[in-house]
Amino acid sequence: MRQKQLRYISVVLILAAVYFFSARFGLSYAVVQKQTTIIWPPTGIMLAALLFLGYKYWPGVFLGAFLANYFTDPSLFVSLGIATGNTAEALAGVYIFRKVSGRLNLLERQKDITAIVTAVLICPLISACNGVAVLGISGSIQWKDYFSVWLAWYIGDALSGGLIAPFLLSWGKKRIAKESADYKKIVEMVVFIFLLVFIAARIFSSQHGLPYLIFPFLIWAAFRFNQRGATASILIVAAIAIYNSTLGQGPFAGISINEGLMSLGVYFGIVSVTIMFLSAAINERNVSETRLHQVMDIVPHMIFARNKKGEFLFANKALANFYGMEVNDIISKKQRDIHSNKIEAEKIFSEDLMVIQSGKASFTPDTKFTDSTGRLRILQTTKIPFIDYISEETAIIGVAVDITDKVSAEKALEESEKRFRTLFNNNPNGIILTDPDTLTIVDCNDSACIMNGYSREELIGQSINILHPEKIKTPLETTDVSKTDLEKIKSKGVLTIESEHRRKDGTVFPIETSMCMIMIGSRNLVLGIDSDITERKKAEEEIRRSEEKFRNLYENAPIGIFQSSVDGHFLGINKTLSDMVGYSAPDSMIASMPDIKNQLYIYPNERIAILEAIAKTDKFVRTEIQFKAVDGRKIITNLYARAVKDEEGKILYLEGFVEDISERKASEAELSQYRENLEALVEIRTEELLIAKERAEESDRLKSIFLASMSHELRTPLNSIIGFTGIMLKGLAGELNIEQKKQLGFVKNSATHLLALINDILDISKIESGQLEISSVTFNARDSVEKVIHVLQPIADSKNILLESFIAPEVNHITSDARRFEQILINIINNAIKFTMEGFVRVETINRDGYLLITVTDTGIGIEEKNIQKLFNPFQQLDTGTTRKFEGTGLGLSICKRLLEKMGGQIKVESEFGKGSKFSFTLPINPRNVI
Amino acid sequence: MKTKILIIEDNDQNLYLVTFLLENSGFEVVQAKDGPTGVEYASKIKPDLILLDIQLPGMDGYTVAKEIRANPELKNINIVAVTSYAMMGDREQAFAAGCAGYIEKPINPETFISQITKFLPEAKGGVR
């Protein structure tokens, strides 16, 4: 504060001093009156000073003016009066300048010149009128000199203001338009100053000097050295002119010095105003040109001009940067020489030419060009034709905007939008954005549309309540579910509720909605994410049912079910178990049994053993355990226990089943008693059976022995009867008469018949008792048949019956029992011969289908239909009424049939009663191949 | 020299019957009425054929046949079983014991000689 005051006072004193000394200098030329002079520098200096420093420094002006006048004429009234007027003049000058120019103190534009001119023309009126009045009142001047004094005062002040103030103002401030001060300029300046001083000295020292000759130089200064040069030049010229005029020389040297000086003042007023305007105009142009260049250089877009040869007439910094060059290096270069990609360069050039030739502007919205670093940039270019004022040829001027980043940003934005749109729409959940104030749907995704059966257009703008069935049922209801939901969302952040949605077709389905508030732009919206939970609801219902099912199973199982802790209390049991032990309910049993081991087990250590056993396995371990019932009764149980373990194998708890087997145990005990009894019984019976079996086997053996003995014992006497009868009939023991022969013949026949009977009975009994064994040997069937025919031939001959045999050529070896085969063959052929009175017996032997087929056809008595079935029964000789007409035991066919069946063959008979019979039988040629 | 046939048979009637038939056909017959005697005679007289009953007292026919067959000197003499045994396996057992033939009793006087003739050595064919 103090420093500020000090500074203020010192500035005021300096101002006063400057005023004083410059005034003293001017007053030394005072011609009209002591206080009046045409050369009055203080006016201009003070105007400039107050413009720079501000109104508040007026005391400097006042003090300076007072002192200057007081020292000239020590009249307090005059000094104070003039000082007041001069101070007012300075303050008014500042005021007017600032009012007109609108600036503090800059003297650059033509408007500023207008302002300073206005100020220096008006303000001197104040000081001149005031001064003249003061001098007149004080009587220092006479009324006749009044006008000349006023005029000198006015012109002097105006001249001072017009010459000195502009000079100070232009030199006292930094300039906007800067020029580089190179040596050429300095040389020019030196030459100029020399010429100016020389010419000015020449003009204003001669009576015949031509004052207008100074103009070219001042214009030179205005153009080449700006306002500073111009104001300085004017001041120099004015100084030279005034100096010469005071010596009475030069073109303005008139009747008196004062008159000459006045003419000079007017002259310089005009010169100064003219030159200042000119220089201001030039300055303005320079400033705006500089500003234009500055603007162009900071514009991020490329600005350029090119002629028809493709040479750059103009380029800004952005364009230079594009090519990685300096602006000055680009000017007058050909575009194709600096553009790295030649194809692009040609394209640009041809486009330039098109604009030049057509005279129409061109616009390319997005063309890719390679910049100096080789990157592709997308440029949006506008070109217009213009006439180049230098060459007067049509050229182009253009602006290229690098929209690469914008395009990629737009693209990224578009992609991002698309991506989020896809995420939004393809989200399997329905997403609905709702306005919380109006409850209208603002947006929704595809899933929401599909889920609810509406199109997007149908949903957007609608109230969210069209999806809520309760709203539709009771449209007049005032309580709004969604409003209460909103309160919850606001307090909780996210709200998840289960509700129902109503589709467009009216069907209602369960839904789970998660809602939260989100901000999109400046709008608060409710984001609702809906999942159709129909399936989940079904599944839940399933689970509930299934749980119920298992619960029922658990509760109603006829077996006790439990979960218990390792340390020995129940976690859960079913009713069956509590009933079993004798408690009224599971809960009471759980509560009153904190120590299972000692309270339930009759042998508590068994529980420890069970725990050890189940620790080793995951399966159920069965143990028979005895429990104590509430009433002290012993319960024998089958306990199936299992350990439920965690992932590390630690036992979490036990679970299992308890089966009351007390009753079963009792039954088992009883049963085991029965079993013991039964075992004894079985033993006895087995013994009996063994004995019986032995007896049966013995009886079998005895039967065989009996049969063998029978055979032997019966045959032995027959041997004698048949043998000796035969000997006698042969006459070996002497000749017999006819009667003896006949009777002995009867004996022999009866004996032979008895023998056959014995043999057949033996055969039958062997077959019946399973003792008949069939051998399996390969033999020649042909030989067997021929042998049998040969044996029987005499019998047939004796009856005058033709015995024919046909054996097919293929009949050969057969694997069977040869003796039995022959026995069967003899039996059947013998039968045929026996029952045939006349005609023939034909035996046909062939192979068919792996079997030997033998057919014996006769022309005998035949068999009645009714008897064919009985034919193969034992002792069924037909025609029993006339027994003994045909010999035989009646067992033959029966034996044949049985033998054949044993040997894998068959026998069958066809017959026509009275005409004959046909017996045929088969035998497998090789039984292993057949069976 | 007559063809010699040894008959080993305990039943007198049968022995007589067969002897009668054979002698009537010109064979010389040597009789043995039990097994050991039969075996003894066989090695002593070396008959051309042995007719052997199976059911014999003392030593049964199978044993007799085996003993005779055990004597290599008698290997060329055929043994034909003549027996009233007609039970299961009799025939097979007889062959197994070394018999070459098997004739069931009662014998048929008409065919008996021809039945045994085929078991005689070639040179000493039937008388007839």
Side-chain angles (χ1 to χ4, degrees), chain A residues 45 60 69 98 162 224 303 400 464 505 555 568 677 684 822 910:
Chain A
I45 293 168
N69 281 285
R98 287 185 177 172
R224 298 294 295 165
I303 303 171
I464 187 75
D505 63 13
E555 290 300 340
N677 288 346
I684 293 164
E822 284 167 23
E910 294 166 39

Side-chain angles (χ1 to χ4, degrees), chain A residues 251-271:
Chain A
F252 298 104
I255 307 114
S256 68
I257 293 169
N258 224 6
E259 276 176 13
L261 283 177
M262 274 201 280
S263 308
L264 195 69
V266 173
Y267 168 77
F268 272 106
I270 291 160
V271 168

Side-chain angles (χ1 to χ4, degrees), chain A residues 306 352 354-362 382-388 393-398:
Chain A
R306 281 193 291 264
D352 284 1
M354 224 168 75
V355 172
I356 291 167
Q357 281 160 14
S358 67
K360 282 177 187 162
S362 78
T382 309
K383 293 178 189 172
I384 53 165
F386 83 109
I387 309 288
D388 176 28
E393 281 176 343
T394 309
I396 58 110
I397 189 159

Side-chain angles (χ1 to χ4, degrees), chain A residues 602-890:
Chain A
I602 289 178
Y603 306 106
N605 283 341
E606 286 180 342
R607 188 164 196 273
I608 298 165
I610 291 169
L611 280 171
E612 280 170 9
I614 61 175
K616 292 173 195 156
T617 176
D618 287 332
K619 292 176 179 160
F620 279 100
V621 173
R622 189 189 72 86
T623 323
E624 203 176 293
I625 296 291
Q626 296 185 7
F627 282 162
K628 282 180 274 191
V630 174
D631 56 11
R633 184 170 43 87
K634 181 172 87 177
I635 312 164
I636 305 171
T637 66
N638 250 341
L639 177 74
Y640 298 86
R642 190 178 86 96
V644 178
K645 296 171 186 170
D646 65 11
E647 283 168 3
E648 277 128 37
K650 186 174 167 280
I651 300 177
L652 298 174
Y653 61 91
L654 281 69
E655 63 178 17
F657 309 99
V658 181
E659 182 189 9
D660 186 348
I661 55 166
S662 308
E663 273 181 39
R664 200 172 79 199
K665 275 284 159 185
S667 322
E668 268 175 14
E670 208 175 329
L671 197 67
S672 99
Q673 233 176 343
Y674 285 139
R675 194 187 296 134
E676 275 166 32
N677 288 346
L678 192 67
E679 273 168 13
L681 266 171
V682 166
E683 239 167 71
I684 293 164
R685 185 81 187 113
T686 309
E687 259 172 51
E688 287 172 356
L689 280 172
L690 275 173
I691 293 164
K693 190 187 166 224
E694 275 168 21
R695 276 187 197 150
E697 282 169 358
E698 175 65 9
S699 128
D700 224 33
R701 198 173 59 83
L702 289 174
K703 190 179 159 195
S704 294
I705 292 168
F706 169 75
L707 278 170
S709 306
M710 263 279 286
S711 162
H712 186 70
E713 296 309 325
L714 288 172
R715 277 162 197 261
T716 304
L718 272 175
N719 198 29
S720 290
I721 295 166
I722 292 167
F724 288 115
T725 322
I727 287 170
M728 286 170 79
L729 279 170
K730 279 183 86 171
L732 295 178
E735 280 300 315
L736 298 176
N737 62 29
I738 294 161
E739 189 54 36
Q740 284 172 325
K741 266 191 181 175
K742 185 182 166 189
Q743 290 181 9
L744 214 50
F746 290 147
V747 174
K748 192 198 167 194
N749 280 345
S750 296
T752 307
H753 183 70
L754 185 60
L755 179 65
L757 206 55
I758 289 165
N759 282 340
D760 284 355
I761 288 170
L762 263 177
D763 269 351
I764 287 281
S765 80
K766 276 194 264 184
I767 291 165
E768 301 279 288
S769 68
Q771 286 181 355
L772 185 90
E773 276 184 13
I774 303 295
S775 66
S776 184
V777 177
T778 303
F779 62 94
N780 196 326
R782 176 182 293 273
D783 290 352
S784 292
V785 175
E786 280 173 352
K787 192 168 90 186
V788 169
I789 297 291
H790 180 71
V791 167
L792 296 176
Q793 189 68 53
I795 303 169
D797 290 349
S798 66
K799 286 185 78 175
N800 249 333
I801 291 164
L802 183 64
L803 178 61
E804 292 177 326
S805 173
F806 168 76
I807 302 171
E810 74 270 12
V811 175
N812 205 335
H813 288 94
I814 177 169
T815 300
S816 194
D817 188 321
R819 206 165 69 85
R820 295 296 179 189
F821 172 59
E822 284 167 23
Q823 184 188 344
I824 294 161
L825 206 52
I826 286 170
N827 207 313
I828 290 170
I829 299 169
N830 199 29
N831 264 352
I833 294 167
K834 196 159 63 183
F835 292 103
T836 302
M837 301 304 122
E838 53 182 1
F840 62 85
V841 171
R842 183 156 61 238
V843 180
E844 194 182 70
T845 308
I846 59 168
N847 281 357
R848 181 187 288 173
D849 301 334
Y851 285 83
L852 184 73
L853 171 64
I854 294 173
T855 311
V856 178
T857 314
D858 65 53
T859 55
I861 58 171
I863 308 152
E864 280 183 88
E865 184 95 34
K866 59 173 182 176
N867 290 325
I868 285 184
Q869 292 306 316
K870 301 181 198 165
L871 200 59
F872 297 101
N873 293 345
F875 301 105
Q876 283 285 338
Q877 196 181 44
L878 305 175
D879 189 26
T880 39
T882 56
T883 324
R884 301 283 76 86
K885 184 179 178 182
F886 304 101
E887 289 179 10
T889 60

